[in-house]
């Protein structure tokens, strides 16, 4: 079956760094997306990894290891506005995104 | 980036009535749009894939007679929740990709929060 595993909730301090891990099992693989979703809003795109390695985009970086079925999202210099849910979504062989429940990140001053 | 817009953002209706939600791609043509439903603290659940000019493809367990999808043009897909009941209260979100980008970013509408009394 297809499965996504992310921590349910994480807490971090403003200005710090946090890493959100994701392990996945899918039928085929066409890359992995990270989305941010604020409460009551639709998801917004953060990153897409299809090859192994680290993709850096400003304060956010995303890493992928296809052999391990593992990805992480790294958020630096945390700001209060980063409080949101972070969704790891691998794409299967049919180009369908597989969604988990996401990780709720709480930023404290 | 590409823009997808949904309307209405909020809707409250009485049990037994039907509600229509519109999803528009504003700056690209979308032959395929995706309809999701999300209950509080749960993951996005794909309900159906809307195909322009043909029937929608529904996911297992989703009643196609209850959730009517029409994709009449390359920029508009509609989801009609027929004979809505309180258990249909949820956050409904549409998404689409620009053509030729099967592995590209999925652009989401703002979402529509349905409350059935």
């Amino acid at each position: 079956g297809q499965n996504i595993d992310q921590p349910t909730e994480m807490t971090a301090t403003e200005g710090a760094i946090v890493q959100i891990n994701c392990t996945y099992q899918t039928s085929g693989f066409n890359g992995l997306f990270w989305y941010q979703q604020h409460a009551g809003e639709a998801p917004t795109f953060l990153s897409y990894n299809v090859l192994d390695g680290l993709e850096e985009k400003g304060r956010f970086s995303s890493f992928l290891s296809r052999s391990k079925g593992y990805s992480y999202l790294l958020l630096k210099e945390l700001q209060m506005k980063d409080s949101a849910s972070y969704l790891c979504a691998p794409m299967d062989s049919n180009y369908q995104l597989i969604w988990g429940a996401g990780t709720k990140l709480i930023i404290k001053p | 980036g590409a823009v997808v817009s949904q309307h209405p953002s909020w809707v409250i209706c009485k049990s037994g009535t039907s509600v229509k939600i519109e999803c528009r791609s504003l700056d690209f043509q979308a032959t395929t749009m995706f309809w999701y439903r999300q209950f509080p603290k749960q993951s996005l659940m794909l309900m159906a894939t809307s195909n322009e000019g043909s029937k929608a493809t529904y996911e297992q367990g989703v009643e196609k007679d209850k959730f009517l999808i029409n994709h009449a043009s390359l920029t508009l897909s509609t989801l009609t929740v027929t004979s809505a009941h309180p258990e249909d209260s949820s956050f409904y979100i549409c998404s689409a990709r620009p053509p030729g980008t099967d592995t590209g970013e999925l652009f989401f509408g703002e979402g529509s929060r349905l409350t059935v009394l």
Side-chain angles (χ1 to χ4, degrees):
Chain A
Q2 310 207 92
N3 185 57
I4 312 295
D5 192 18
Q6 292 179 246
T8 303
E9 188 174 296
M10 298 180 70
T11 302
T13 305
E14 190 177 15
I17 299 173
V18 71
Q19 178 174 312
I20 302 174
N21 295 321
C22 169
T23 57
Y24 61 89
Q25 290 179 310
T26 55
S27 301
F29 182 74
N30 278 303
L32 184 144
F33 290 82
W34 282 94
Y35 278 82
Q36 179 190 61
Q37 187 177 25
H38 284 99
E41 298 181 11
T44 55
F45 171 82
L46 290 177
S47 68
Y48 172 64
N49 294 65
V50 66
L51 299 176
D52 290 349
L54 187 69
E55 295 274 348
E56 297 186 74
K57 189 187 291 186
R59 294 190 298 116
F60 293 2
S61 302
S62 55
F63 172 85
L64 175 67
S65 169
R66 290 171 295 173
S67 62
K68 295 181 179 178
Y70 168 69
S71 175
Y72 68 73
L73 181 69
L74 189 72
L75 294 80
K76 303 177 184 177
E77 300 170 19
L78 287 169
Q79 302 174 9
M80 297 303 293
K81 67 179 182 180
D82 297 330
S83 291
S85 287
Y86 290 85
L87 312 178
C88 164
M91 183 182 296
D92 69 11
S93 57
N94 293 320
Y95 299 101
Q96 290 249 24
L97 287 177
I98 311 302
W99 299 92
T103 298
K104 182 179 180 181
L105 178 64
I106 299 168
I107 309 297
K108 295 185 175 180
Chain B
V3 179
V4 176
S5 179
Q6 258 180 269
H7 176 81
S9 300
W10 297 82
V11 58
I12 300 173
C13 69
K14 292 182 179 179
S15 187
T17 61
S18 295
V19 174
K20 181 187 283 188
I21 300 170
E22 294 186 348
C23 179
R24 293 180 185 274
S25 55
L26 298 185
D27 53 358
F28 65 96
Q29 293 182 330
T31 54
T32 302
M33 290 185 175
F34 304 94
W35 285 97
Y36 291 89
R37 180 168 56 181
Q38 187 177 34
F39 292 106
K41 297 185 179 181
Q42 294 189 22
S43 64
L44 290 166
M45 187 195 83
L46 180 65
M47 299 176 65
T49 301
S50 170
N51 303 298
E52 188 270 334
S54 64
K55 292 182 179 180
T57 305
Y58 289 82
E59 296 299 305
Q60 193 173 9
V62 177
E63 301 174 60
K64 58 184 178 182
D65 294 332
K66 180 169 181 64
F67 298 100
L68 300 179
I69 290 173
N70 186 305
H71 195 149
S73 79
L74 287 170
T75 58
L76 174 64
S77 175
T78 60
L79 168 68
T80 302
V81 183
T82 62
S83 186
H85 291 286
E87 57 265 31
D88 298 324
S89 298
S90 188
F91 192 45
Y92 292 85
I93 314 173
C94 72
S95 67
R97 286 191 185 94
T101 60
D102 281 345
T103 57
E105 175 184 347
L106 200 61
F107 294 91
F108 286 88
E110 303 93 331
S112 300
R113 186 162 301 282
L114 170 64
T115 301
V116 185
L117 303 176

